[in-house]
């Protein structure tokens, strides 16, 4: 652990990929520190680029959650990583930062979170290389940071916790262009949080229904959002030195405006209607079962 | 190309103009706004630190059609979108002079990194359904924050490098190759090897008699690059639980949408994706697929024309020396 670099740096994709040997992907070896450091680009000398607090956060996550509690760990970590690593969207779009975090600062976390248990079919499991260096919705840390950024409602991180409690939100909904519209993201989360949509298949079906409706209906037109205001976000980054990210309770995010409740409600009711008509794998069977148990028949219009 | 939808949409042209750009309140030199290329070269503003660029936009719509059509609550919007920063900001425009709509959209430095697409859409209530998209801007603009030379949308970036230099460890294995196609980054990149004798001279400073050679080499490189990018993108396309291929997103999606029509001219892009991915997975028809990819890439690289010109010119040269 003594080799953890003091500051974050940018590790280019092409270098990162070439160092991801099968030994590292099997979890047997650590990435070569010296070679990676030499190829990385330094970041400015600012306190927010120090790795210590992120490293501490990840240690805490590993201490709090058992290896098989991956989803709970994601839900705990996503808002706190966003709160600890204070960066702009512009900075978060630089994959070099995430490569550096995964290969140099916390390869042990990537291994623990993304190395599957051996099975009969795959006696020697490997980590998907995209967890180290990959698109924003797949890379081990980028996916959590972006989930927090796209699903928070202003300063309120609670929707992020709901979003990350289900791997299907992270694995499919996070990459949809439709959730870049904040009220759309909040409407989806509200349906999950009130239990109208449950489990992987239903969440996937909802995501698809929303996406396909989004190709002919502009959700922005029926559910306005406030214009983005980068000033509070900027202040929040500047305050990072003094702020302390709590581990037991949920931190507050940047106070840059919440979505309008009317907008979210309008979309939630639209999405609920779309979902009722959407094909869900296995839903027909469930319905029959419900009918047999005498509980069938939902009353949604 | 217009999508088929089950409600009336606008047939006339929807044009977007950026009429003024103010960088932190100061009007940007008009030379950085290029209407012919539909680009705003913000990276050339010679200001390291800036906070926001406010764009004044005008959207021109088909007047008669909008007036006579069966659309209510017509709402024109301008959109600033960049996939890399997951940012899509939308502003509703106001009517001016009966035939156009104006407004301002702000590109914030903190929310963008590379190329921001400035597009637009018109929505309306149609048949009782609010928010239907009845038209989009035919030719969106690009606000370029980073490029050192203005690059056209969809072109591949090219850079010269010494493949054996210490600074390029990832190129060492390819140190004898004239070019290398990098696909792992956020954007694809072609490296040209400075150490290959004569390559730089001929590609950069070819005189008239060598021009055909340069064009032929350039299109060979381009074709090779397109084939590599296409294969990379195809392998990145995933299959959902209903066995439907999914567009891979990012530049990979752009590459597939550009090349699939040339590879499968009889299929729609969606069907072509399904077909190509299915062949990859099933392990059948791989050779035919590669031939199709090569044909499409060659068309994209204008190889037929350039190689044709090379053959004609060398033939002419040998006749002259005879």
């Amino acid at each position: 652990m003594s080799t953890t670099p003091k500051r974050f740096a940018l590790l280019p994709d092409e270098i990162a990929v070439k160092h991801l040997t099968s030994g590292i992907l099997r979890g047997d070896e650590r990435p070569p520190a010296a070679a990676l450091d030499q190829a990385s680009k330094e970041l400015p000398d600012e306190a927010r680029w120090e790795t210590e607090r992120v490293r501490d956060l990840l240690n805490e996550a590993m201490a709090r959650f058992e290896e098989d509690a991956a989803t709970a760990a994601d839900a705990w970590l996503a808002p706190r990583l966003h709160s600890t690593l204070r960066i702009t969207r512009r900075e978060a779009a630089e994959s070099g930062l995430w490569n550096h975090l995964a290969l140099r600062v916390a390869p042990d976390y990537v291994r623990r979170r993304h190395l599957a248990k051996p099975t009969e079919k795959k006696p020697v499991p490997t980590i998907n290389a995209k967890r180290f260096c990959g698109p924003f919705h797949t890379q081990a840390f980028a996916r959590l940071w972006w989930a927090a950024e796209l699903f928070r409602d202003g300063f309120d991180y609670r929707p992020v916790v709901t979003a990350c409690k289900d791997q299907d939100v992270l694995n499919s909904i996070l990459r949809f262009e439709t959730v870049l519209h904040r009220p759309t993201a909040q409407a989806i989360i509200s349906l999950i949080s009130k239990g109208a949509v449950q489990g992987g298949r239903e969440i996937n079906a909802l995501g698809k229904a929303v996406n396909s409706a989004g190709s002919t209906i502009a959700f922005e037109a029926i559910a306005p959002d406030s214009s983005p205001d980068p000033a509070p976000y900027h202040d929040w980054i500047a305050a990072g030195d003094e702020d302390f990210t709590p581990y037991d309770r949920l931190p507050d995010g940047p106070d840059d405006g919440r979505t309008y409740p009317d907008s979210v409600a309008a979309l939630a009711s639209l999405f609920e209607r779309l979902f009722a008509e959407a094909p869900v794998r296995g839903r027909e069977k469930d319905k029959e079962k419900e009918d047999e148990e005498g509980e069938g028949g939902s009353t949604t219009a | 190309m217009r999508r088929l939808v089950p409600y009336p949409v606008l047939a006339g042209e929807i044009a977007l103009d950026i009429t003024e750009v103010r960088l932190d309140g100061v009007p940007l030199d008009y030379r950085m706004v290029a209407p012919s290329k539909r680009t705003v070269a913000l990276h050339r503003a010679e200001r390291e630190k800036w906070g926001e660029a406010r764009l004044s936009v005008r959207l021109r719509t088909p007047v008669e059609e909008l007036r006579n059509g069966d659309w209510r609550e017509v709402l024109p919007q301008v959109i600033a979108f960049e996939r890399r920063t997951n940012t899509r900001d939308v502003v509703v425009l106001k009517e001016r002079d009966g035939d156009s709509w104006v407004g301002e959209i702000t590109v914030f430095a903190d929310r963008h990194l590379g190329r921001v697409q400035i597009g637009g859409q018109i929505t309306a209530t149609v048949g009782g359904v609010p928010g239907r998209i009845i038209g989009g801007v035919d030719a969106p603009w690009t606000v370029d924050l980073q490029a050192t030379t203005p690059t056209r949308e969809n072109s591949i970036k090219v850079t010269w490098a010494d493949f054996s230099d210490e600074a390029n460890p990832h190129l060492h294995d390819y140190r004898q190759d004239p070019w290398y196609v990098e696909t792992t980054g956020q954007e694809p990149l072609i490296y040209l090897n400075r150490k290959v004798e004569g390559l730089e001279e001929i590609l950069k400073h070819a005189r008239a008699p060598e021009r055909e050679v340069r064009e032929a080499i350039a299109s060979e490189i381009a074709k090779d690059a397109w084939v590599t990018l296409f294969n990379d993108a195809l392998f990145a396309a995933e299959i959902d639980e209903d066995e439907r291929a999914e567009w891979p997103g990012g530049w990979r999606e752009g590459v597939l949408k550009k090349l699939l029509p040339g590879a499968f001219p009889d299929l729609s892009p969606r069907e072509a994706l399904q077909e190509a991915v299915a062949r990859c997975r099933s392990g059948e028809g791989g050779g035919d697929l590669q031939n199709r990819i090569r044909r499409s890439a060659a068309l994209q690289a204008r190889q037929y024309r350039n190689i044709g010109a090379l053959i004609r010119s060398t033939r002419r040269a040998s006749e002259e020396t005879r």
Side-chain angles (χ1 to χ4, degrees), chain B residues 174-246:
Chain B
Y174 306 91
R175 62 175 76 94
Q176 307 219 347
D177 292 3
W179 63 82
Y180 178 81
V181 185
E182 182 62 73
T183 56
T184 51
Q186 297 273 8
E187 236 180 302
L189 183 66
I190 300 176
Y191 286 101
L192 297 176
N193 196 349
R194 200 168 263 145
K195 273 293 161 70
V196 171
E197 262 183 31
L199 187 64
E200 195 164 8
E201 286 79 43
I202 204 151
L203 286 178
K204 274 189 179 165
H205 318 286
R207 286 164 198 275
E210 290 169 343
R211 195 164 292 149
E212 280 84 7
V213 181
R214 176 188 64 189
E215 295 300 320
I217 294 177
S219 62
E220 176 63 24
I221 296 172
K223 186 199 74 178
D224 200 45
W226 285 118
V227 169
T228 307
L229 299 184
F230 189 98
N231 277 302
D232 182 274
L234 202 53
F235 281 95
E238 285 173 16
I239 287 184
D240 70 11
E241 52 187 18
D242 300 323
E243 298 288 312
R244 269 169 64 88
E246 288 179 0

Side-chain angles (χ1 to χ4, degrees), chain B residues 93-121:
Chain B
L93 301 175
K94 290 195 171 66
E95 190 168 2
R96 157 134 6 131
D97 305 334
D99 68 338
S100 61
W101 310 76
V102 296
E104 282 185 340
I105 187 155
T106 307
V107 170
F108 294 103
D110 280 353
R111 290 164 70 82
H112 292 285
L113 175 65
R115 290 184 215 162
V116 189
Q117 191 195 69
I118 308 292
Q121 66 187 13

Side-chain angles (χ1 to χ4, degrees), chain A residues 18 89-90 216 218 220 234, chain B residues 88 110 112 131-133 180:
Chain A
K18 262 140 225 185
R89 288 188 179 194
R90 180 194 183 89
T216 64
E220 301 101 346
H234 220 264
Chain B
R88 184 182 149 97
D110 280 353
H112 292 285
R132 285 285 200 201
I133 300 166
Y180 178 81

Side-chain angles (χ1 to χ4, degrees), chain A residues 247-294:
Chain A
Y247 287 167
D248 287 330
R249 64 169 180 82
L250 209 53
D252 280 342
D255 192 6
D256 53 359
R258 304 192 60 163
T259 50
Y260 303 128
D262 289 353
S263 286
V264 177
L267 288 179
S269 79
L270 170 65
F271 295 167
E272 203 162 3
R273 282 203 307 276
L274 293 173
F275 175 66
E277 294 156 12
V280 181
R281 294 186 135 233
R283 175 148 75 177
E284 283 311 305
K285 272 183 218 147
D286 291 350
K287 247 194 197 142
E288 281 164 26
K289 210 162 57 183
E290 274 180 24
D291 286 343
E292 279 167 23
E293 287 163 9

Side-chain angles (χ1 to χ4, degrees), chain A residues 13-14 18 88-90 93 95 136 146 175 177 180 208 215-218 220-222 228 230 234 281, chain B residues 3 7 83-88 108-110 112 121 123 131-133 170 180 182 185-186 240-242:
Chain A
D13 289 340
E14 55 273 18
K18 262 140 225 185
T88 61
R89 288 188 179 194
R90 180 194 183 89
S95 52
F136 80 94
W146 279 109
R175 69 167 95 169
E177 222 169 282
L180 305 187
K208 272 184 200 163
S215 67
T216 64
I217 296 174
E220 301 101 346
I222 49 179
H234 220 264
R281 294 186 135 233
Chain B
R3 221 162 2 115
Y7 57 89
R83 182 79 248 204
R84 268 186 83 178
T85 57
N86 284 320
T87 295
R88 184 182 149 97
F108 294 103
D110 280 353
H112 292 285
Q121 66 187 13
T123 62
R132 285 285 200 201
I133 300 166
H170 58 294
Y180 178 81
E182 182 62 73
Q186 297 273 8
D240 70 11
E241 52 187 18
D242 300 323

